[in-house]
């Protein structure tokens, strides 16, 4: 079987963007992308709520998102490849406590990106159906508090991960990158660089590398490997004793419809040009994402303690999770959605970095690992691909699409230089 210069394992947003920048920056490279599904972007990329924002507290994380958003905007508006990208905004409804807690971060973001604040009166005027004062029962039982202000990110909105993936895939095909689907890799084969043909190799004193990766039937050989296998990464790396810092956690999305959904979804054009409710975040992180085509809302929350770190083969959405965790908070602030009906739902998994909620991107031997996108991998996908390409080329700095740059090992595990991310959804 042909030996490739690089095999990229995983055809989600991270693998696609990585292959794209590897090939764009070194046109001679012979690249193969492998995935276990029958086509690209069928893993967590297809499960995303499909929102984007540059509202991150950590500077490196902010750079990843801001520059990727900038690139996707370029694809849609200059290259005319539709990504269904709409700047509807992200609106955080803050009570007094969260407002105080995040004040410093908000002030920092106000200096570096487009934002605005809405007073109570402005929220009431723009979105009259939002209830800012939860009733007594909600206050007592769920400890919900009155909303005192909204913080809004304007360089934020909604897009379609499938369309972004289509863009990279089409470009990769045009550039002659090979794809092999329906191929589940079970093993990364470790060998010494210089074989002695002694049993038990590689020994501790031998330089090591991955020579090939194998499924049940075949082995695929390459000089270098990019592994972008998201939550499934530990299955390949743990047997080698390499830590990818990946912790999987189930995340669920519920779609609701109904007459009042449409009334809340299509607002007048006071707030954004689209005349659409922004992606809105309520206390406890319960969020509501407008879905224009379906005339629906996607609602979700990321639960923490009580939700195990488990990989499920086919994660299923739990209706009771919607009924008892999401709906009560949602209705406290959006009572107009009382009669909305749940019409579809799905579940995927976040690969979480419990240390700082940010990606890991590093090189070890002849493998580049890129993952642990901590719930925001689509909106950062472009920048991650660029960092992978820089690691391959041994560049100390990576230039991102907006012209900003960062040290290529910022998201590594040795010289890791990222503060804890406070704005996780
Ligand atoms: C419910 C939910 C909501 C989300 N909302 C958002 C959002 O609004 N905005 C946002 O930016 N991000 C969001 N995310 C996060 C985002 O989806 C991920 O960060 C991103 O998709 C990760 O991309 P990836 O390429 O690393 O992973 P994936 O898309 O999961 O791709 C990994 C690929 O590797 C393949 N693979 C794995 N192991 C093997 C193997 N052994 N052999 C062959 N192939 C293998 C898989 O088949 C898969 O295609 C959300 C995630 C979930 C679950």
């Amino acid at each position: 079987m042909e030996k490739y210069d690089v095999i990229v394992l995983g055809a989600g947003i991270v693998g696609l963007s990585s292959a794209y920048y590897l090939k764009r920056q070194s046109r001679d490279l012979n690249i193969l992308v492998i995935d276990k599904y029958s086509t690209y972007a069928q893993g967590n990329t297809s499960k995303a709520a499909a929102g984007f924002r540059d509202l991150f507290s950590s500077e490196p994380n902010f750079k990843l998102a801001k520059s990727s958003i900038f690139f996707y905007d370029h694809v849609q508006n200059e290259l005319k490849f539709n990504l269904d990208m709409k700047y509807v905004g992200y609106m955080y409804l803050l009570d007094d406590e969260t407002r105080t807690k995040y004040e410093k971060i908000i002030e920092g973001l106000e200096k570096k990106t487009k934002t605005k604040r809405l007073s109570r009166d402005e929220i009431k005027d723009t979105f009259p159906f939002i209830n800012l004062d939860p009733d007594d029962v909600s206050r007592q039982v769920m400890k919900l508090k009155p909303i005192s202000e909204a913080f809004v990110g304007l360089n934020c909105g909604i897009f379609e991960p499938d369309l972004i993936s289509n863009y990279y895939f089409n470009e990769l095909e045009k550039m002659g990158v090979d794809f092999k689907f329906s191929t589940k890799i079970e093993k990364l084969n470790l060998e010494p660089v210089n074989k002695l043909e002694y049993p038990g190799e590689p020994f501790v004193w031998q330089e090591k590398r991955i020579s090939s990766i194998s499924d049940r039937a075949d082995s695929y050989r390459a000089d270098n490997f990019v592994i972008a296998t998201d939550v499934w990464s530990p299955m390949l790396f743990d047997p080698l004793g390499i830590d990818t810092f990946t912790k999987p956690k189930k995340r669920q999305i519920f779609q609701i419809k109904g007459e009042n959904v449409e009334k809340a979804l299509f607002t007048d054009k006071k707030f954004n040009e689209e005349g659409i409710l922004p992606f809105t975040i309520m206390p406890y992180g319960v969020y509501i994402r407008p879905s224009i085509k379906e005339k629906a809302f996607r609602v979700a929350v990321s639960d923490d303690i009580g939700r195990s770190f488990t990989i499920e083969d086919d994660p299923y959405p739990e209706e009771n999770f919607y009924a008892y965790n999401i709906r009560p908070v949602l209705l406290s602030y959006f009572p107009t959605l009382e009669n909305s009906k749940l019409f579809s739902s799905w579940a995927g998994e976040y690969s979480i970095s419990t240390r700082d909620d940010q990606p890991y991107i590093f090189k070890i031997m002849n493998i580049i690992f890129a993952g642990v996108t901590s719930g925001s991998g689509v909106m950062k996908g472009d920048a991650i691909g660029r960092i992978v390409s820089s690691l391959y080329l041994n560049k100390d700095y990576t230039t991102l699409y907006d012209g900003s740059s960062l040290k290529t090992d910022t998201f590594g595990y040795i010289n890791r230089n990222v503060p804890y991310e406070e704005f996780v959804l």
Side-chain angles (χ1 to χ4, degrees):
M1 196 166 283
E2 182 179 358
K3 184 178 179 193
Y4 284 86
D5 295 317
V6 184
I7 289 179
V8 176
L9 181 59
I13 188 78
V14 172
L16 292 171
S17 151
S18 299
Y20 176 77
Y21 286 108
L22 284 168
K23 186 70 179 171
R24 271 198 46 175
Q25 294 188 8
S26 317
R27 287 292 174 125
D28 298 341
L29 285 184
N30 199 6
I31 301 178
L32 171 69
V33 180
I34 296 182
D35 202 286
K36 64 181 174 180
Y37 292 124
S38 57
T39 186
Y40 58 97
Q42 297 301 298
N44 286 309
T45 298
S46 66
K47 306 287 178 68
F52 66 86
R53 62 186 162 112
D54 62 358
L55 303 182
F56 287 99
S57 63
S58 142
E59 178 64 19
N61 217 16
F62 171 79
K63 280 187 174 179
L64 296 186
K66 183 173 174 239
S67 65
S68 300
I69 294 169
F70 210 41
F71 179 74
Y72 300 147
D73 187 283
H74 158 73
V75 170
Q76 173 159 295
N77 293 315
E78 285 163 19
L79 304 182
K80 304 289 178 208
F81 191 99
N82 180 35
L83 305 178
D84 261 353
M85 191 172 181
K86 296 191 178 1
Y87 288 87
V88 298
Y90 260 54
M91 178 165 72
Y92 286 82
L93 298 176
L94 303 173
D95 57 36
D96 277 344
E97 203 178 295
T98 42
R99 189 176 159 178
T100 311
K101 181 175 171 194
Y102 295 120
E103 187 55 39
K104 275 225 158 72
I105 300 173
I106 290 174
E107 282 172 12
L109 286 165
E110 284 173 328
K111 288 188 192 123
K112 57 187 184 184
T113 185
K114 285 189 281 178
T115 64
K116 68 177 174 188
R117 297 192 195 213
L118 297 181
S119 66
R120 271 175 69 90
D121 285 346
E122 285 169 319
I123 307 173
K124 279 187 198 161
D125 181 45
T126 321
F127 308 109
F129 48 82
I130 298 183
N131 172 39
L132 300 181
D133 298 295
D135 63 24
D136 288 347
V137 177
S138 302
R139 288 187 200 206
Q140 278 162 19
V141 179
M142 293 185 281
K143 306 280 179 272
L144 293 178
K145 300 187 184 82
I147 299 302
S148 46
E149 188 180 85
F151 175 58
V152 181
L154 298 170
N155 194 30
C156 306
I158 53 176
F159 55 14
E160 284 308 328
D162 293 353
L163 298 177
I164 301 174
S165 305
N166 287 354
Y167 172 77
Y168 288 122
F169 179 76
N170 290 350
E171 293 300 307
L172 287 167
E173 282 219 307
K174 277 191 230 160
M175 291 191 288
V177 166
D178 291 340
F179 284 83
K180 185 148 189 6
F181 293 117
S182 306
T183 303
K184 184 176 178 196
I185 295 302
E186 303 201 329
K187 195 165 178 242
L188 310 180
N189 298 307
L190 185 70
E191 282 193 353
V193 172
N194 299 310
K195 272 192 184 172
L196 298 172
E197 304 298 348
Y198 267 54
E201 288 184 280
F203 302 118
V204 73
W205 37 263
Q206 280 177 305
E207 194 186 341
K208 300 165 189 66
R209 63 196 286 273
I210 297 300
S211 56
S212 61
I213 59 180
S214 317
D215 64 5
R216 285 199 174 169
D218 291 305
S219 288
Y220 306 89
R221 294 186 307 129
D223 290 329
N224 292 280
F225 296 85
V226 172
I227 311 286
T229 43
D230 199 26
V231 289
W232 300 278
S233 305
M235 294 173 202
L236 296 167
F237 283 92
D238 282 2
L240 295 176
I242 298 173
D243 197 354
T244 58
F245 310 93
T246 303
K247 287 276 198 181
K249 215 172 239 216
K250 176 148 98 178
R251 295 294 178 234
Q252 315 172 49
I253 307 272
F254 300 89
Q255 293 214 98
I256 55 170
K257 262 190 175 177
E259 192 193 329
N260 285 349
V261 166
E262 285 185 42
K263 283 190 188 148
L265 178 67
F266 300 106
T267 61
D268 58 30
K269 298 204 171 181
K270 263 189 210 164
F271 181 76
N272 55 33
E273 276 181 24
E274 312 286 344
I276 297 290
L277 182 81
F279 193 121
T280 301
I281 302 103
M282 286 157 262
Y284 295 118
V286 170
Y287 67 77
I288 177 164
R289 184 264 194 211
S291 231
I292 302 170
K293 265 189 216 138
E294 291 98 338
K295 296 190 173 132
F297 283 125
R298 295 176 187 171
V299 290
V301 69
S302 293
D303 47 340
D304 183 13
I305 294 174
R307 172 70 58 191
S308 68
F309 290 120
T310 312
I311 280 258
E312 289 173 33
D313 279 346
D314 192 10
Y316 62 92
E318 303 148 21
E319 272 196 29
N320 280 348
F321 183 77
Y322 170 70
Y324 299 120
N325 291 272
I326 298 173
R327 192 171 147 86
V329 177
L330 176 71
L331 293 189
S332 294
Y333 295 105
F334 284 81
T336 185
L337 301 180
E338 172 78 47
N339 295 323
S340 59
K341 295 266 175 301
L342 189 60
F343 77 98
S344 77
S345 53
W346 64 85
E349 277 149 340
Y350 278 11
S351 53
I352 298 175
S353 152
T354 53
R355 176 171 158 181
D356 47 35
D357 270 315
Q358 282 165 89
Y360 273 82
I361 314 166
F362 59 82
K363 189 172 180 181
I364 184 162
M365 303 180 295
N366 58 337
I367 312 175
I368 296 169
F369 171 76
V372 206
T373 43
S374 299
S376 45
V378 184
M379 62 183 98
K380 299 182 206 156
D382 188 74
I384 294 174
R386 289 169 191 263
I387 295 174
V388 166
S389 172
S390 293
L391 278 171
Y392 178 80
L393 296 170
N394 293 318
K395 286 188 185 169
D396 288 341
Y397 284 86
T398 301
T399 304
L400 303 176
Y401 181 71
D402 62 351
S404 65
S405 77
L406 43 70
K407 278 199 85 198
T408 302
D409 61 0
T410 301
F411 293 96
Y413 62 95
I414 297 174
N415 297 321
R416 191 168 182 80
N417 188 14
V418 290
Y420 188 79
E421 177 54 61
E422 304 271 353
F423 271 17
V424 179
L425 282 181

